[in-house]
């Protein structure tokens, strides 16, 4: 997927604007943004090989550009998920590495404190389903991060709240933690959909729905295509709704010390983040 530069202006789009997404009926966990002419202005006939396909060197260059322009948290998350998945391919018969998956006894009694975090990198074994899921998650996570470029601590809180509440819910409900990554994508698309209420979303130019109905459309897909009750989709929607309500009523705000660290700390990490988000803010401004 090539991120559309128009996505950075999404907050100013009128309610009648339309965003194109692949149909969930044919792409289980896929999604993409509508492309502007600017996104393809660099494609010339000389870029194509004799058989009409995109030149391999040009494709590699564009993939590199996408990676470099992805917001920092989204880039880190998708990169670590891809790395963990490749470790599973190389050493665990294409299954997620067991030392990275969630295990509450090992977390509490053996202090494997990384497991509740790394379990979210599990988006399934490498294959078409994984590629569609990570592209789907990249789309919505990166857009939400771009929208928070002026106050990135609010995006960090969005991710932290979602991961924390889901981890706790899975523990108390006794749900298998291997599905945390998929649940995070449902959570993010709900928040994205509520943020863009009124925007029309075109699914393969066949069906147009309001953005706020998109999570429910995907939930229906789970029921129809996977033959199971969409309990986990509902869980992601529920926590997305809880976050959206608390955020928009002013009851959930990032801690002051996080904002202070981001804006004032001389540490290398804070400086690099300020530079990256600063570039995004310039894109918003014009």
């Amino acid at each position: 997927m090539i991120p559309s530069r128009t996505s950075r202006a999404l907050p100013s789009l009128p309610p009648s604007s339309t965003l194109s997404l692949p149909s969930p009926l044919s792409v289980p966990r896929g999604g993409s943004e509508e492309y502007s002419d600017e996104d393809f202005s660099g494609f010339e006939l000389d870029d194509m090989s004799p058989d009409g396909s995109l030149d391999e060197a040009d494709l590699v260059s564009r993939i590199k550009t996408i990676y470099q322009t992805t917001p920092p948290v989204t880039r880190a998350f998708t990169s670590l998920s891809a790395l963990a998945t490749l470790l599973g391919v190389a050493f665990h018969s294409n299954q997620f590495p067991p030392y990275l998956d969630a295990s509450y006894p090992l977390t509490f009694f053996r202090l494997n404190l990384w497991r509740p975090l790394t379990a979210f990198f599990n988006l399934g074994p490498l294959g078409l389903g994984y590629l569609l899921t990570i592209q789907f998650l990249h789309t919505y996570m990166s857009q939400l991060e771009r929208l928070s470029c002026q106050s990135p601590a609010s995006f960090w809180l969005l991710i932290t709240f979602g991961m924390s509440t889901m981890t706790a819910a899975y523990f108390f409900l006794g749900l298998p933690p291997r599905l945390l990554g998929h649940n995070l994508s449902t959570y993010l698309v709900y928040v994205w959909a509520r943020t863009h209420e009124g925007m029309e979303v075109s699914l393969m130019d066949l069906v147009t729905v309001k953005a706020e109905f998109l999570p429910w459309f995907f939930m229906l897909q789970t029921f129809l295509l996977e033959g199971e009750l969409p309990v986990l989709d509902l869980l992601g929607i529920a926590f997305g709704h809880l976050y959206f309500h608390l955020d928009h009523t002013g009851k959930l705000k990032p801690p002051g010390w996080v904002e202070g660290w981001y804006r004032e700390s001389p540490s290398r990490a804070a400086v690099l983040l300020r530079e990256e988000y600063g570039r995004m803010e310039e894109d918003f401004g014009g």
Side-chain angles (χ1 to χ4, degrees):
M1 183 197 72
I2 304 176
S4 168
R5 293 182 180 89
T6 58
S7 67
R8 292 171 180 163
L10 281 174
S12 62
L13 289 174
S16 59
S17 299
T18 301
L19 187 72
S20 295
L21 298 173
S23 169
L25 297 178
S26 60
V27 184
R29 285 288 185 261
S32 68
E33 305 165 45
E34 184 178 21
Y35 304 142
S36 66
D37 293 339
E38 184 183 359
D39 290 306
F40 296 102
S41 59
F43 283 106
E44 304 291 346
L45 290 177
D46 292 341
D47 294 333
M48 308 298 286
S49 61
D51 63 358
S53 61
L54 185 64
D55 182 72
E56 182 176 342
D58 187 74
L59 179 60
V60 171
S61 175
R62 293 181 185 280
I63 292 174
K64 181 179 179 181
T65 299
I66 293 170
Y67 180 82
Q68 291 174 338
T69 56
T70 297
V73 174
T74 303
R75 182 169 64 240
F77 186 96
T78 52
S79 298
L80 290 171
S81 174
L83 177 60
T85 301
L86 291 176
L87 285 174
V89 171
F91 302 107
H92 303 284
S93 303
N94 200 18
Q95 298 300 314
F96 193 72
Y99 43 82
L100 298 179
D101 220 340
S103 170
Y104 300 113
L106 291 177
T107 299
F108 294 135
F109 302 118
R110 300 253 181 119
L111 297 182
N112 291 178
L113 302 181
W114 65 86
R115 289 179 179 271
L117 172 62
T118 57
F120 284 94
F121 301 147
N122 185 0
L123 303 179
L126 184 62
L128 179 60
Y130 174 84
L131 296 176
L132 294 175
T133 300
I134 197 169
Q135 183 255 357
F136 177 85
L137 188 143
H138 175 279
T139 297
Y140 296 104
M141 181 182 285
S142 62
Q143 285 195 24
L144 288 169
E145 188 170 7
R146 286 189 180 101
L147 295 179
S148 300
C149 66
Q150 295 180 344
S151 180
S154 60
F155 173 77
W156 304 340
L157 179 62
L158 162 69
I159 298 298
T160 302
F161 180 86
M163 288 183 171
S164 301
T165 51
M166 286 180 206
T167 301
Y170 269 57
F171 173 73
F172 288 111
L173 296 176
L175 298 172
R178 62 183 176 81
L179 300 172
L180 282 169
H182 288 278
N183 227 173
L184 181 64
S185 68
T186 307
Y187 167 82
L188 290 173
V189 76
Y190 180 87
V191 176
W192 180 92
R194 291 298 304 274
T195 302
H196 295 85
E197 282 187 26
M199 179 184 290
E200 292 183 343
V201 178
S202 175
L203 303 172
M204 293 295 288
D205 294 324
L206 297 175
V207 179
T208 300
V209 299
K210 296 292 186 181
E212 55 267 32
F213 296 120
L214 191 60
W216 306 99
F217 197 86
F218 288 151
M219 187 184 73
L220 179 62
Q221 168 209 292
T222 298
F223 177 70
L224 293 177
L225 297 185
E226 300 178 19
E228 60 183 39
L229 293 175
V231 175
L232 296 178
D233 295 77
L234 280 171
L235 193 62
I237 288 173
F239 286 124
H241 180 75
L242 179 61
Y243 168 82
F244 191 83
H245 171 74
L246 293 175
D247 178 60
H248 281 71
T249 56
K251 297 178 181 177
L252 187 65
K253 296 180 180 180
W257 66 268
V258 176
E259 289 277 9
W261 174 85
Y262 169 69
R263 300 195 180 281
E264 300 173 7
S265 174
S267 69
R268 181 171 177 77
V271 171
L272 289 175
L273 284 173
R274 286 197 291 269
E275 291 177 353
E276 290 213 40
Y277 286 121
R279 285 193 290 269
M280 292 182 205
E281 191 172 352
E282 290 176 1
D283 291 338
F284 267 115

